């Protein structure tokens, strides 16, 4: 986000409550719930993705963090998102959806969701949305019958991008997803790469790929002092940062030193190295 291109979701995200204790996905849940409630076609697109078939929705309700009791009353469950919908032909459908962004997949949560679906004794499914393929695979690999649909946020991003005549708010939400690196990634154009850092779209792509590297690679070979989360001067490490001519993951230790950086160097001035992007060999 820049001052020239403000975004309401990015602006509000900076002030989401208790950053050390409140998962990022709580903000994301409320944001997508708002889109589902207000954007024409968004619910049909979202529900079609979750059910693996095109549906026509006539009436629906969206609840977030609503208190639900399992059939045996043994547990109180707070699904991130609960959608109930009346479909064409009178079919009733309920979806209990768990969202993950900066926290790991929790099998116990999903098993509790499955108990809710079982309690309903109808067309209820459990869905999971994760930021990384690792989270999605973990959700899919829980015992059979627990999760009926697991997708990445990028899948929702691509589905919403297909909505014709999107409202200003949906456009803002898609920009938010892209700038927060939970939208879809595209191939880097080599011609644009040679023009770094002047081409903003490539800078954004490098940031996306650095975040994928952070979230989808285990990094378990690093010592805990680098790998474990910590907040220094209001910044939560490890994280992707663009500074000193590089876009990379900074694994910061207490006291800021030593630090390990993994990512992309686009300007060698600060590092006193020459950065060159060579042309591919010709076939002639």
């Amino acid at each position: 986000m820049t001052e020239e291109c403000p975004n309401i979701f990015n602006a509000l995200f900076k002030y989401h409550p208790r950053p050390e204790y409140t998962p990022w996905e709580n903000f994301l849940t409320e944001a997508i719930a708002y889109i589902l409630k207000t954007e024409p076609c968004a619910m049909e697109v979202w529900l079609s993705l979750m059910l693996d078939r095109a549906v026509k929705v006539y009436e629906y309700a969206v609840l977030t963090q609503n208190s639900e009791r399992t059939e045996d009353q043994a547990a109180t469950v707070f699904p991130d998102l609960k959608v109930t919908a009346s479909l064409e032909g009178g079919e009733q459908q309920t979806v209990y959806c768990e969202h993950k962004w900066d926290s790991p997949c929790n099998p116990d949560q999903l098993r509790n969701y499955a108990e809710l679906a079982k309690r309903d004794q109808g067309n209820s499914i459990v869905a999971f949305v994760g930021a990384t393929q690792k989270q999605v695979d973990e959700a899919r690999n829980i015992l059979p019958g627990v999760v009926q649909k697991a997708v990445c946020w990028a899948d929702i991003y691509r589905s919403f991008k297909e909505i014709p005549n999107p409202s200003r708010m949906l456009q803002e939400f898609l920009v938010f997803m892209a700038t927060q690196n939970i939208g879809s990634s595209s191939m880097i154009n080599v011609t644009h790469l040679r023009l770094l850092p002047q081409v903003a779209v490539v800078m954004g792509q490098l940031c996306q790929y650095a975040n994928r590297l952070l979230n989808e690679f285990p990094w378990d070979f690093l010592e805990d002092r680098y790998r474990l989360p910590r907040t220094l001067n209001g910044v939560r490490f490890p994280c992707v940062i663009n500074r000193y001519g590089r876009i990379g993951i900074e694994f910061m230790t207490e006291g800021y030193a030593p630090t390990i950086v993994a990512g992309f160097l686009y300007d060698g001035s600060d590092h006193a190295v020459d950065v060159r992007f060579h042309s591919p060999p010709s076939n002639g």
Side-chain angles (χ1 to χ4, degrees):
M1 184 184 68
T2 65
E3 292 182 358
E4 293 76 21
C5 186
N7 179 276
I8 183 63
F9 293 101
N10 278 322
L12 293 174
F13 184 58
K14 293 190 299 184
Y15 301 103
H16 80 287
R18 303 177 71 199
E20 286 82 17
Y21 302 97
T22 304
W24 294 356
E25 56 255 22
N26 288 11
F27 179 92
L28 189 54
T29 292
E30 295 300 331
I32 194 171
Y34 178 82
I35 295 298
L36 292 176
K37 291 175 183 177
T38 62
E39 178 68 22
C41 301
M43 176 55 72
E44 288 186 353
V45 167
W46 182 89
L47 198 53
S48 296
L49 175 65
M50 296 305 170
L51 298 179
D52 282 322
R53 58 187 173 91
V55 297
K56 183 71 175 177
V57 179
Y58 288 100
E59 293 182 349
Y60 63 89
V62 179
L63 295 173
T64 59
Q65 299 292 328
N66 188 56
S67 174
E68 304 271 350
R69 296 288 289 180
T70 57
E71 186 175 20
D72 58 7
Q73 301 292 309
T76 301
V77 188
F78 300 89
D80 285 338
L81 190 71
K82 178 184 179 181
V83 170
T84 56
S86 298
L87 309 182
E88 188 176 32
E91 179 186 355
Q92 301 298 307
Q93 182 68 57
T94 300
V95 179
Y96 296 100
C97 194
E98 171 71 359
H99 295 157
K100 291 298 180 186
W101 185 358
D102 64 325
S103 57
C105 173
N106 186 330
D108 289 337
Q109 284 181 317
L110 293 172
R111 292 188 185 98
N112 284 334
Y113 283 28
E115 287 297 317
L116 296 180
K118 177 182 176 182
R119 174 204 65 183
D120 292 348
Q121 298 182 347
N123 292 334
S124 295
I125 69 167
V126 176
F128 176 89
V129 185
T132 70
Q133 192 59 47
K134 178 182 178 182
Q135 292 171 329
V136 172
D137 289 343
E138 288 174 347
R140 286 174 177 161
N141 291 334
I142 298 173
L143 291 174
V146 173
V147 177
Q148 285 70 50
K149 184 68 175 181
V151 301
C152 288
W153 284 107
D155 296 312
I156 292 177
Y157 175 88
R158 284 188 289 267
S159 295
F160 281 179
K161 285 281 285 186
E162 297 298 319
I163 293 177
N165 303 315
S167 68
R168 174 63 183 273
M169 196 58 69
L170 176 57
Q171 295 177 54
E172 294 263 311
F173 182 62
L174 292 172
V175 169
F176 168 75
M177 295 183 76
T179 55
Q180 296 296 334
N181 304 297
I182 51 175
S184 60
S185 301
S186 57
M187 295 289 288
I188 295 177
N189 185 297
V190 176
T191 301
H192 289 169
L193 191 62
R194 297 192 189 102
L195 299 176
L196 281 173
Q198 289 83 4
V199 181
V201 65
V202 179
M203 299 293 282
Q205 288 173 314
L206 294 181
C207 189
Q208 279 188 319
Y209 283 114
N211 272 281
R212 288 189 63 179
L213 188 63
L214 170 62
N215 294 321
E216 298 185 21
F217 189 75
W219 299 106
D220 50 8
F221 63 91
L222 289 179
E223 297 176 19
D224 287 352
R225 60 175 177 152
Y226 295 106
R227 186 169 48 86
L228 294 181
R230 59 171 42 85
T231 300
L232 300 171
N233 268 355
V235 179
R236 186 178 182 182
F237 293 94
C239 64
V240 173
I241 296 180
N242 178 7
R243 58 181 173 184
Y244 310 132
R246 68 187 184 226
I247 295 176
I249 309 162
E250 295 194 4
F251 297 93
M252 191 81 72
T253 59
E254 288 289 346
Y256 300 96
T259 295
I260 295 176
V261 179
F264 307 97
L265 184 67
Y266 60 82
D267 184 341
S269 302
D270 191 80
H271 295 73
V273 297
D274 186 15
V275 177
R276 298 183 182 182
F277 300 97
H278 296 283
S279 300
S282 64
N283 295 325

